[in-house]
Amino acid sequence: MKFRFLTLYAVVFMFILYLPVLLLPLFSFNDSTIVAFPIKGFTTHWYETLLKEEPMLLSLVNSLKVACATAFFSTLLGICGARAVTRYNFFAKKTITAFVMLPLVLPEIIIAISLLVVLLRMGFDLSLFSVTLGHILMTVPFSIAVLISSFEGFDKSLEEASMDLGEGPLMTFFRVTLPMVAPGIVSSLLITFTISLDEFIVAFFLSGTEPTLPIYIWGQLRFTAKLPTVVALGSCLLISSFLLLWMAEFFRRRVQKRTGIKESVL
Amino acid sequence: MTTTQFTRLMRSEGMRGFTLMSPTLIYALLLLAIPIGVIITFSFWTQHYLDFDTTLTLKNYAIIWEKPIYQTLLFRSLIVAGTVTLVTVVLAYPIAYFVAFRVQDHKAIWIFLITIPFWTSYLLRIFAWKLVLGYDGLINSTLINLGLIDEPLSFILYNMNAVIVTLSHAWLPFAILPIYVSLEKIDRSLLEAATDLGDKPLMRFLRVTLPLSLPGVIAATLVVFIPTVGDYVTPKLVGGKDGVMIANFIQIQFGKANNWPLGAALAITAMVCVTAVAVSVAGFIKFIGSRIR
């Protein structure tokens, strides 16, 4: 009895979780200029207008630049952090780790305004570069969290064996450690890329005159006539982030198979 | 210090860990600690047209303290975030429990499917709620088609409730993770022991499972409560006039109103309030936990 109730709850839960999001693809094919019920008919018109939307393509390119740079640098910082946390004991380890992970719980608007004030006071112009700086700060904790699970399952004796066989620490890292955790790194790259691609608040404050994709979408939401195109764009974004995350998950599980630890979530 | 001593120190376990951590730490110090220090300083300054009067003053805090609008906003933000946290934790717990104890195979796939909406297009997920709650939205058109109402309900969008519903939905997947992890960690033999010693399922849940999963509940409370207080997008998109929250006002101070020090003071006040509430709630949950056991 209890079993059935929980299962039912889980099914209803999943349905409601996905319901609003699934309305986007539905309306993107709706043959009507207003995004509202009832559904009129099928069309691919909104996807065609989307492809001709010059500012959208520009902001997409901006977003891709920011997301690539963010993914690369935050994963690099994440590797240092995750490796230090899992392998060594050092002074004030808990405090330092908590501080580095802080952006995970800090309201984004605090990060946004504090960076805005500092950058402008220092005489920097707002640009895609400032957005990237903010995104790296926000995504490092996620990268560390993903990578810790890769490094944790790692058998230390493999590295020791390599050292005994005469490899230096650097070569050991590149020839033993890195290949073992490579899928974890790919997973971190994909996740940080997805977060950056999607991030709004920090970009809203720091992007200056170069809009990223979410900033472009935000601008379009005000115009009713533009909504069907935005909905089409939204559907494309949903599918691409789903694919990116699915790939991230695939790689994250590969590393667990390799290192031989059992299925875990964090 | 001699050279050998220095090399030994540099080669020591602790130093190597520290060196490895330092790039990440320095980045966070430069782009998080210093900027936050700067806005704290800013909050004691005064805006003077396009420049700042750098004499330290408590004037901004006095304004926040005296004008009822700021207190209302702050209070509303805390209420909204508190309600959202309560709703998410209560709704997330059974799902986390379901995956941890009832699902046998493919737990990771369940968790993946549950968390995936959290990572996808924040802006569009909030916007999608307009399609659900709106005048011609999903709820209204369904109710009209069913013949339950004649006129679309207008009170479901553009108010505080819409903000609460939308935010809860957005944060549910994130609240599940810490609860799930703490449930998953529970040693199953403890549950068997409780049953052997004569506890009925409900008592067993209340006396063993629930107290042991409280760290997860506390973590979920914190990761939902703190960020939602400062949410900007949701109140702006679905909140209407009555749903405005503190972040919207902070943004105005940095934008149209061009009063950065006041904006900074608002942000700091909000942070202090949030931390105070979060710490006391976490403490309270812990206290309750120790009492049941």
Side-chain angles (χ1 to χ4, degrees):
Chain A
M1 182 63 198
K2 197 179 169 194
F3 177 71
R4 286 223 185 115
F5 173 74
L6 264 182
T7 316
L8 181 71
Y9 180 80
V11 171
V12 174
F13 182 93
M14 294 304 272
F15 176 71
I16 293 176
L17 197 62
Y18 278 89
L19 179 71
V21 167
L22 291 179
L23 289 179
L24 295 174
L26 178 71
F27 280 115
S28 74
F29 291 111
N30 185 22
D31 193 7
S32 158
T33 44
I34 29 172
V35 181
F37 286 98
I39 300 291
K40 293 276 162 57
F42 180 83
T43 178
T44 52
H45 174 71
W46 306 120
Y47 288 92
E48 285 154 30
T49 42
L50 182 64
L51 287 175
K52 286 178 217 139
E53 199 75 30
E54 200 73 34
M56 188 283 290
L57 295 170
L58 279 176
S59 64
L60 175 66
V61 172
N62 285 343
S63 267
L64 289 177
K65 282 185 202 161
V66 172
C68 286
T70 302
F72 180 77
F73 287 107
S74 64
T75 301
L76 209 59
L77 292 174
I79 292 173
C80 295
R83 173 88 173 151
V85 169
T86 45
R87 184 75 151 73
Y88 301 99
N89 272 316
F90 51 89
F91 174 70
K93 183 176 169 179
K94 270 199 170 151
T95 321
I96 291 176
T97 315
F99 171 66
V100 170
M101 299 299 272
L102 191 63
L104 203 62
V105 288
L106 218 54
E108 287 165 7
I109 194 158
I110 303 281
I111 296 175
I113 60 164
S114 58
L115 279 176
L116 175 81
V117 168
V118 168
L119 290 174
L120 287 185
R121 284 300 276 186
M122 279 168 56
F124 278 107
D125 279 332
L126 295 181
S127 62
L128 293 179
F129 178 69
S130 44
V131 179
T132 312
L133 287 180
H135 281 185
I136 295 173
L137 182 72
M138 294 174 64
T139 49
V140 163
F142 289 100
S143 170
I144 292 183
V146 170
L147 287 167
I148 278 182
S149 72
S150 307
F151 282 119
E152 241 170 16
F154 189 83
D155 192 351
K156 215 170 154 182
S157 57
L158 287 171
E159 280 178 342
E160 285 162 5
S162 154
M163 301 282 260
D164 288 345
L165 291 170
E167 290 281 29
L170 206 64
M171 283 313 278
T172 302
F173 182 76
F174 280 108
R175 294 188 52 185
V176 179
T177 320
L178 210 56
M180 286 289 281
V181 294
I185 293 172
V186 176
S187 172
S188 157
L189 286 170
L190 290 167
I191 285 178
T192 47
F193 181 88
T194 318
I195 296 173
S196 167
L197 198 62
D198 193 49
E199 202 285 331
F200 173 69
I201 288 291
V202 170
F204 185 52
F205 277 87
L206 300 180
S207 67
T209 50
E210 297 169 285
T212 60
L213 200 52
I215 306 293
Y216 168 81
I217 294 175
W218 180 254
Q220 301 299 298
L221 286 179
R222 274 177 298 163
F223 309 112
T224 330
K226 293 276 191 173
L227 281 185
T229 323
V230 173
V231 168
L233 173 61
S235 313
C236 298
L237 283 177
L238 279 180
I239 291 172
S240 44
S241 11
F242 184 87
L243 287 177
L244 283 169
L245 293 169
W246 183 79
M247 272 155 62
E249 178 71 8
F250 172 79
F251 283 109
R252 210 175 60 84
R253 282 162 142 235
R254 273 269 294 271
V255 77
Q256 284 168 1
K257 248 186 220 159
R258 244 182 234 197
T259 50
I261 50 170
K262 75 174 187 58
E263 197 175 85
S264 75
V265 181
L266 277 179
Chain B
M1 198 190 289
T2 63
T3 341
T4 33
Q5 268 177 320
F6 183 72
T7 12
R8 201 177 298 153
L9 175 73
M10 286 310 287
R11 276 194 192 152
S12 76
E13 177 92 357
M15 206 53 209
R16 273 161 72 181
F18 197 78
T19 319
L20 199 53
M21 192 69 181
S22 57
T24 319
L25 177 63
I26 291 170
Y27 192 85
L29 283 174
L30 284 178
L31 281 112
L32 184 65
I34 294 179
I36 285 183
V38 169
I39 56 162
I40 292 176
T41 323
F42 245 75
S43 70
F44 295 107
W45 291 2
T46 334
Q47 185 89 30
H48 200 75
Y49 300 104
L50 286 174
D51 215 342
F52 303 101
D53 179 354
T54 55
T55 344
L56 298 182
T57 163
L58 282 170
K59 226 173 79 191
N60 297 312
Y61 289 97
I63 294 173
I64 296 171
W65 188 246
E66 275 158 16
K67 285 204 176 162
I69 170 91
Y70 295 118
Q71 285 172 37
T72 316
L73 274 174
L74 206 56
F75 190 64
R76 184 191 292 151
S77 306
L78 289 172
I79 291 287
V80 168
T83 318
V84 168
T85 311
L86 191 68
V87 171
T88 32
V89 171
V90 168
L91 291 180
Y93 198 96
I95 284 293
Y97 186 90
F98 171 77
V99 181
F101 289 104
R102 298 278 184 260
V103 175
Q104 304 296 333
D105 307 311
H106 311 301
K107 284 187 185 189
I109 292 179
W110 270 91
I111 291 295
F112 175 66
L113 284 177
I114 289 167
T115 44
I116 210 163
F118 184 78
W119 307 109
T120 45
S121 297
Y122 181 66
L123 214 54
L124 290 160
R125 270 187 299 135
I126 308 299
F127 170 73
W129 271 97
K130 270 178 118 165
L131 304 177
V132 176
L133 301 173
Y135 195 76
D136 300 315
L138 182 67
I139 292 182
N140 274 329
S141 46
T142 315
L143 288 178
I144 289 177
N145 282 337
L146 288 174
L148 290 173
I149 50 169
D150 301 321
E151 285 280 300
L153 308 169
S154 55
F155 64 85
I156 49 176
L157 188 60
Y158 301 126
N159 54 36
M160 213 168 105
N161 291 333
V163 176
I164 292 174
V165 171
T166 309
L167 271 178
S168 306
H169 183 266
W171 287 87
L172 256 179
F174 208 43
I176 287 173
L177 275 181
I179 302 177
Y180 169 77
V181 171
S182 68
L183 284 171
E184 199 49 31
K185 270 192 203 149
I186 295 177
D187 188 348
R188 299 301 194 266
S189 58
L190 289 174
L191 301 178
E192 286 162 21
T195 316
D196 291 345
L197 293 168
D199 257 352
K200 292 262 164 15
L202 184 66
M203 281 313 278
R204 190 185 70 180
F205 174 76
L206 287 176
R207 286 170 51 173
V208 182
T209 319
L210 187 60
L212 285 175
S213 64
L214 280 182
V217 173
I218 292 173
T221 309
L222 296 181
V223 297
V224 175
F225 183 72
I226 303 175
T228 43
V229 171
D231 193 79
Y232 172 82
V233 176
T234 312
K236 190 89 179 170
L237 279 185
V238 302
K241 235 195 218 155
D242 305 326
V244 180
M245 279 164 65
I246 195 81
N248 305 92
F249 248 72
I250 296 175
Q251 194 271 330
I252 290 173
Q253 300 307 327
F254 279 89
K256 253 188 263 163
N258 195 31
N259 190 345
W260 288 19
L262 183 60
L266 274 173
I268 302 297
T269 313
M271 274 314 289
V272 171
C273 293
V274 170
T275 317
V277 174
V279 167
S280 30
V281 169
F284 180 71
I285 297 177
K286 248 185 209 161
F287 172 74
I288 297 282
S290 66
R291 288 310 281 273
I292 340 179
R293 238 184 282 182

